[in-house]
Amino acid sequence: MDESAAVPDGPRSPEGRSRGGGDGRVRTGDTGRIEDALTAALIEAVRDIGGYGGLVYLRSRDRRSLVLALVTGVPRSLLRTWWRVPVGGALPMAEAYRRDETLWLPDERATMVRFPHFTAGLPYSFGSAYQPVRTGGEVVGVLVVLRSAARSPLDADAVEPALRPAAQAMEERLPRLAGGEPGPDSAAYRIEYDGEPVGVRLPTPAVHPVRVGLVDWDLDTDRCTADDEALALLGIGRADFGGTLADIEARVSPDDLHELRASRNDALTLGRVRCRHFRVRDDSADEEEAGYRPVELWGHLVRGGTGSDRILVGALVDAGSGLTAAEAAERLPDGLFSLDQDGRLTYANRRCEELLGGGREALGRYPWEVITWLRDPAYEDRYRAAMLSQEQVSFLVRHPAGNWLSFVLYPDVHGLTGRVHPTGPPTGAEAAREAGSAAGPVPETSAVAPPPGPVAAARAGALYHVVQMASVLTQAVTVEDVCRAVSEQLLPAFGVRELALYTVRDGRMYLLWESGYPEGFLAPFEGVTLDTQLPGVHALTTRLPLFFESPEDLSVAYPGIALDRMSAWSFLPLIASGHPVGSCILGWDAPRRFTADERSALTALSGLVAQALERARLYDAESAVARGLQEGLLPHRLPAVEGLRTTGRYLPGTQGMAIGGDWYDVITTGRGVALVIGDVEGHSVGAAAVMGQLRSAVHAFAASERPPQEVITHTNRHLAELEADVCATCCYIELDPRTGRAFAVRAGHPPPLLRHPDGHAETLDLVGGVMLGVQTDAVYPVTALTLAPGSVLALYTDGLVEQPGSDIETGIEEVRRCLAETPADSVDHLADRLVRTARRARERPDDVALLLTAYR
């Protein structure tokens, strides 16, 4: 697409689809191979800089996104917003990828300063390092390591050397993963990924390994068989075991024999044994003091076997560590609970159940979903803050009964342990309650979580999707920018597989953007009127979102509607300031239950998208008018001159109404042809208007057959008389095509370049005068030169050679070298090569004008 275009010509789909094949690409189905190839290096990187989590991003197939392929130490669910990020986004992983540079952000302050949009989605205290991953000299991904900001500071100079070994290990393994072999040809490394991230656990040593032995107990004869582990738990050698229940009873504490014998009754009456607990002698203890090891018996009754019909098949479990810890926790006066890495409850002692009222049904679930008075995003956010900062978090909560509870969360990379106990009301409770409405880690002494009440369930993750989308949309300028931002952010955030954005115009619906749909599926819906019986139309006309959780639901509501492979849909109205903008259609590939927080988040997002689209549409219309004005002031066609081939290029470097004043021209005169290029300072409609007046003045003076010096002198006076309060630069060369003789005048403009017939190029050292409009009576000297047949003359504006962070001489040398190295058989091809570098520069601050003349 041409960069000066205002509105997309039709629907665009940026998403490449991974469908497998033998081209050596890393595919969605390659997750197991990715885990095998990269896990060791990722864990090594986390260890080497003292981190607590790590990520690996790989580029997508269409090269527009970085896709999270591997994650360790951090729950995947907490990073869902970041599963897919745009390569061009203002995000640290994207910048490290684009610039091929190591990036170190030691804490949240550094992150906020450089990447405020990233902080908006993850507003927590942590440090992060970003290391590009290359194959064959080409960047294919980014290694990310997360580090607690509370740890001792890490020297920035030490980050890259610490991460380099892991990155090099990935560089060695990735080519083999894609079916290539190491070598200099980067084309062999088709590294790309479009699947979901693979989660791996950081290794942890088993503090108390669990021992389990197997036993068979014939309840009719009391004969027993046991494997070696069971005998070891009982403290019986294989040679000393007679195979009877009496041998086992001899090892059991006399006080616990009834537990073992009660197992027989459990098996005969219930058909199973559940957690019968008894102690067995531990011969490793001091002989003077009897030592015992706690064990548990679990089993079930097997009937109908050969011989006896009643056999208890059981497992003997060493309960020394787990049971002792659980018993100790049950004795504490405080409530204790444990959450896994994803925030689900894995343990709660009885005191915790008494204080919170969750009960056993809360196990395996999110506590803020089961315990209704904890159903507020602020409480989930405390968990997120603890897990992503790896720091202790504490806060106060008021129970519905009116009493206050203190919560303290102690995280590590595998989950967190929580402590809860009754406490008194905080000082200045009402003020603190108001202060506690913000999410994030808050000290007990300074803020209080919001009091419980009739709040709807709203997951903090969904709210952050809204915050993140709002942050991204602030940078989306054109309609295409908005559509791309929605596609790249909304799809991964909610697991969406299909997206269609429609706009309403003249009472009809037109497709702006689509992603994921089968080819041609949306064609019948193009241009439908607003009275058509379609859910996307109804969502817009009624201004109410529609959600369908299965194909049956959609078919019942709209009989005969065409269905594709999706299984759930949402149809969101796009309304901006009461004005209908269009519809957003999302599709999921599996039936889906839309929770209240998802419906709320998607509805809020549709409002943000509508506002952004309306703003972008106005911007595009304004930009189209400005570009039309600017292009109207440039020559539509260069005159054909015998003996010369000329071509021009113009590349805008600004957006909206901030148009520039660059121009070029070819003017036939009585003595030959005048080649002109100029640049009015500033970027505005006024600058473009001055440019048009100067171009007309130069054209008039040149056509009157004035010599080059007089043309520039009169143009300088003309600019002063305009009182436009701007300056301009210009280079004017009058060339006789019959002889190659030329006379050049330069007014503050960059020097031309000349490519000789033998291919070498040089910068022409033309004596110059001051810029136009600075000094009314300025004198402009003339330089004579002669072009040999086969020469190419290049006139350009400074936008071609200026780049942020480098001097103009460096840019001129780069263009000169390109001019020398590119064959001159086609001036159009040569012009395209010269502007290609400027077109790739995202931070190019100025317009580019180029005029090439080949003398035959």
Side-chain angles (χ1 to χ4, degrees):
M1 177 179 175
D2 186 83
E3 291 193 19
S4 63
V7 183
D9 296 329
R12 303 293 182 93
S13 176
E15 297 298 330
R17 285 193 167 269
S18 180
R19 301 188 182 277
D23 57 3
R25 292 183 174 92
V26 181
R27 294 296 189 176
T28 299
D30 294 331
T31 53
R33 296 169 59 202
I34 288 175
E35 183 177 356
D36 293 341
L38 302 182
T39 295
L42 178 59
I43 292 174
E44 175 189 354
V46 174
R47 180 197 63 211
D48 287 347
I49 70 169
Y52 65 82
L55 324 169
V56 176
Y57 282 92
L58 297 176
R59 62 190 182 186
S60 64
R61 183 176 183 182
D62 58 17
R63 303 297 192 267
R64 291 179 174 175
S65 302
L66 293 176
V67 182
L68 184 58
L70 200 65
V71 56
T72 187
V74 183
R76 294 193 319 156
S77 58
L78 294 190
L79 300 172
R80 180 170 289 275
T81 307
W82 312 102
W83 282 14
R84 179 183 292 265
V85 299
V87 166
L91 301 168
M93 61 284 288
E95 181 166 313
Y97 175 85
R98 291 194 308 268
R99 298 190 174 185
D100 190 12
E101 295 177 354
T102 304
L103 184 61
W104 167 237
L105 302 172
D107 51 37
E108 73 277 15
R109 296 179 181 85
T111 308
M112 171 62 78
V113 170
R114 295 193 59 179
F115 303 98
H117 294 171
F118 184 62
T119 309
L122 290 175
Y124 306 109
S125 173
F126 63 89
S128 50
Y130 304 83
Q131 173 69 30
V133 177
R134 308 173 186 88
T135 60
E138 180 181 3
V139 180
V140 298
V142 178
L143 165 66
V144 184
V145 177
L146 307 179
R147 193 175 190 270
S148 173
R151 296 195 61 178
S152 56
L154 188 65
D155 187 355
D157 294 335
V159 173
E160 197 275 337
L163 294 180
R164 190 185 304 129
Q168 289 175 342
M170 292 182 181
E171 181 177 352
E172 294 173 359
R173 295 165 187 166
L174 276 172
R176 297 186 179 93
L177 177 63
E181 291 297 332
D185 184 8
S186 63
Y189 304 148
R190 305 300 300 274
I191 306 301
E192 54 194 36
Y193 189 72
D194 278 303
E196 291 190 357
V198 179
V200 297
R201 286 177 60 89
L202 287 173
T204 54
V207 180
H208 299 287
V210 178
R211 301 170 61 190
V212 179
L214 301 179
V215 296
D216 288 348
W217 178 4
D218 187 329
L219 299 180
D220 292 327
T221 64
D222 280 343
R223 296 291 301 176
C224 299
T225 58
D227 66 4
D228 291 341
E229 192 65 33
L231 292 177
L233 286 172
L234 294 169
I236 305 175
R238 171 63 65 184
D240 299 328
F241 183 52
T244 66
L245 179 62
D247 294 327
I248 296 176
E249 289 181 341
R251 302 295 302 172
V252 177
S253 167
D255 293 334
D256 294 345
L257 281 173
H258 68 283
E259 283 286 313
L260 176 60
R261 293 163 183 170
S263 301
R264 178 199 300 272
N265 185 60
D266 290 346
L268 294 176
T269 58
L270 303 176
R272 64 182 184 274
V273 176
R274 291 289 181 267
C275 192
R276 281 295 179 176
H277 173 70
F278 52 89
R279 293 165 294 166
V280 297
R281 290 186 59 87
D282 183 2
D283 293 334
S284 63
D286 192 325
E287 293 183 0
E288 297 181 0
E289 298 183 8
Y292 291 96
R293 176 191 298 114
V295 296
E296 292 177 356
L297 178 62
W298 298 71
H300 65 277
L301 187 66
V302 177
R303 298 180 182 272
T306 57
S308 173
D309 287 341
R310 300 187 298 181
I311 297 177
L312 177 65
V313 177
L316 203 61
V317 181
D318 181 3
S321 56
L323 182 65
T324 302
E327 288 178 343
E330 294 297 336
R331 299 186 189 106
L332 292 174
D334 295 342
L336 290 181
F337 62 90
S338 177
L339 304 183
D340 66 14
Q341 196 181 50
D342 286 320
R344 294 180 176 87
L345 186 67
T346 57
Y347 171 77
N349 67 357
R350 282 192 296 269
R351 180 57 174 158
C352 184
E353 294 179 20
E354 293 172 1
L355 292 172
L356 303 184
R360 297 281 96 182
E361 69 274 9
L363 291 177
R365 302 173 65 184
Y366 298 110
W368 46 84
E369 289 183 347
V370 178
I371 305 172
T372 57
W373 55 275
L374 287 177
R375 195 171 294 173
D376 188 286
Y379 303 135
E380 181 187 358
D381 192 67
R382 301 314 199 272
Y383 150 75
R384 298 168 69 92
M387 291 301 296
L388 288 173
S389 67
Q390 287 295 295
E391 298 178 25
Q392 173 184 320
V393 171
S394 59
F395 54 97
L396 302 180
V397 177
R398 193 177 65 180
H399 193 277
N403 56 302
W404 288 86
L405 298 175
S406 172
F407 284 77
V408 187
L409 309 181
Y410 305 91
D412 73 1
V413 296
H414 299 296
L416 62 80
T417 297
R419 173 174 170 260
V420 55
H421 62 89
T423 188
T427 304
E430 293 299 322
R433 187 178 302 131
E434 293 296 324
S437 61
V442 291
E444 283 187 353
T445 56
S446 63
V448 180
V455 239
R459 295 293 301 276
L463 296 181
Y464 286 138
H465 294 325
V466 178
V467 174
Q468 170 65 12
M469 179 63 78
S471 179
V472 170
L473 288 177
T474 59
Q475 287 193 326
V477 178
T478 66
V479 169
E480 185 177 7
D481 291 341
V482 173
C483 293
R484 179 174 290 111
V486 172
S487 178
E488 292 177 345
Q489 297 292 331
L490 196 58
L491 270 67
F494 289 89
V496 177
R497 298 301 181 185
E498 288 182 350
L499 163 73
L501 286 171
Y502 280 87
T503 184
V504 60
R505 188 171 64 251
D506 299 327
R508 294 180 178 272
M509 302 284 285
Y510 296 96
L511 184 63
L512 274 179
W513 187 281
E514 68 86 18
S515 176
Y517 281 90
E519 185 175 356
F521 179 81
L522 296 176
F525 306 110
E526 185 69 5
V528 298
T529 59
L530 296 186
D531 58 359
T532 308
Q533 298 297 307
L534 290 172
V537 176
H538 285 171
L540 178 62
T541 55
T542 62
R543 305 192 176 194
L544 296 174
L546 301 176
F547 298 90
F548 298 96
E549 299 183 343
S550 69
E552 293 75 20
D553 291 347
L554 182 57
S555 296
V556 168
Y558 295 90
I561 189 173
L563 298 177
D564 62 357
R565 58 192 174 188
M566 295 295 104
S567 299
W569 297 264
S570 68
F571 298 84
L572 307 172
L574 302 179
I575 308 295
S577 303
H579 173 67
V581 176
S583 294
C584 175
I585 303 173
L586 306 176
W588 286 262
D589 57 3
R592 184 180 188 87
R593 177 181 169 271
F594 293 98
T595 61
D597 60 302
E598 281 184 327
R599 293 173 184 251
S600 299
L602 288 171
T603 303
L605 285 169
S606 67
L608 295 174
V609 173
Q611 293 286 350
L613 276 176
E614 186 70 358
R615 183 185 68 246
R617 191 158 60 180
L618 293 174
Y619 173 89
D620 284 348
E622 179 185 83
S623 182
V625 172
R627 294 304 171 196
L629 169 63
Q630 188 172 43
E631 292 171 4
L633 294 173
L634 293 172
H636 296 283
R637 184 183 299 107
L638 298 178
V641 180
E642 186 177 355
L644 300 179
R645 288 175 295 165
T646 59
T647 189
R649 295 290 184 272
Y650 178 79
L651 186 65
T654 54
Q655 296 178 327
M657 298 301 288
I659 56 180
D662 294 25
W663 91 92
Y664 59 85
D665 211 343
V666 177
I667 308 166
T668 56
T669 70
R671 293 185 299 270
V673 62
L675 310 173
V676 190
I677 197 160
D679 184 3
V680 178
E681 69 172 349
H683 297 90
S684 65
V685 175
V690 172
M691 177 267 280
Q693 291 175 301
L694 286 183
R695 180 182 172 231
S696 298
V698 172
H699 203 287
F701 295 139
S704 66
E705 300 190 8
R706 297 177 184 271
Q709 184 181 35
E710 291 188 20
V711 171
I712 297 302
T713 301
H714 283 75
T715 302
N716 178 47
R717 291 173 184 169
H718 177 68
L719 178 56
E721 292 170 357
L722 290 176
E723 297 183 352
D725 198 26
V726 295
C727 300
T729 66
C730 183
C731 185
Y732 181 97
I733 299 178
E734 186 177 83
L735 172 65
D736 184 350
R738 296 168 301 178
T739 64
R741 186 71 172 166
F743 297 93
V745 178
R746 187 164 66 98
H749 201 82
L753 299 173
L754 179 61
R755 186 184 195 274
H756 294 277
D758 61 1
H760 85 275
E762 64 172 321
T763 302
L764 295 179
D765 186 16
L766 303 183
V767 179
V770 298
M771 296 173 64
L772 302 177
V774 174
Q775 184 179 344
T776 306
D777 57 352
V779 176
Y780 295 94
V782 179
T783 302
L785 58 145
T786 301
L787 273 61
S791 301
V792 179
L793 184 65
L795 305 180
Y796 55 90
T797 56
D798 54 7
L800 182 68
V801 294
E802 282 186 336
Q803 291 291 339
S806 63
D807 56 71
I808 192 171
E809 286 77 12
T810 301
I812 292 174
E813 174 59 24
E814 182 179 350
V815 174
R816 186 205 63 78
R817 187 166 53 251
C818 181
L819 181 65
E821 295 172 353
T822 306
D825 51 345
S826 169
V827 289
D828 287 310
H829 173 69
L830 182 55
D832 291 338
R833 280 292 306 272
L834 292 177
V835 301
R836 192 171 299 161
T837 301
R839 186 181 294 275
R840 286 198 303 263
R842 296 180 58 88
E843 300 178 1
R844 175 169 44 82
D846 204 354
D847 296 6
V848 171
L850 172 68
L851 178 62
L852 288 185
T853 302
Y855 175 55
R856 293 182 284 190

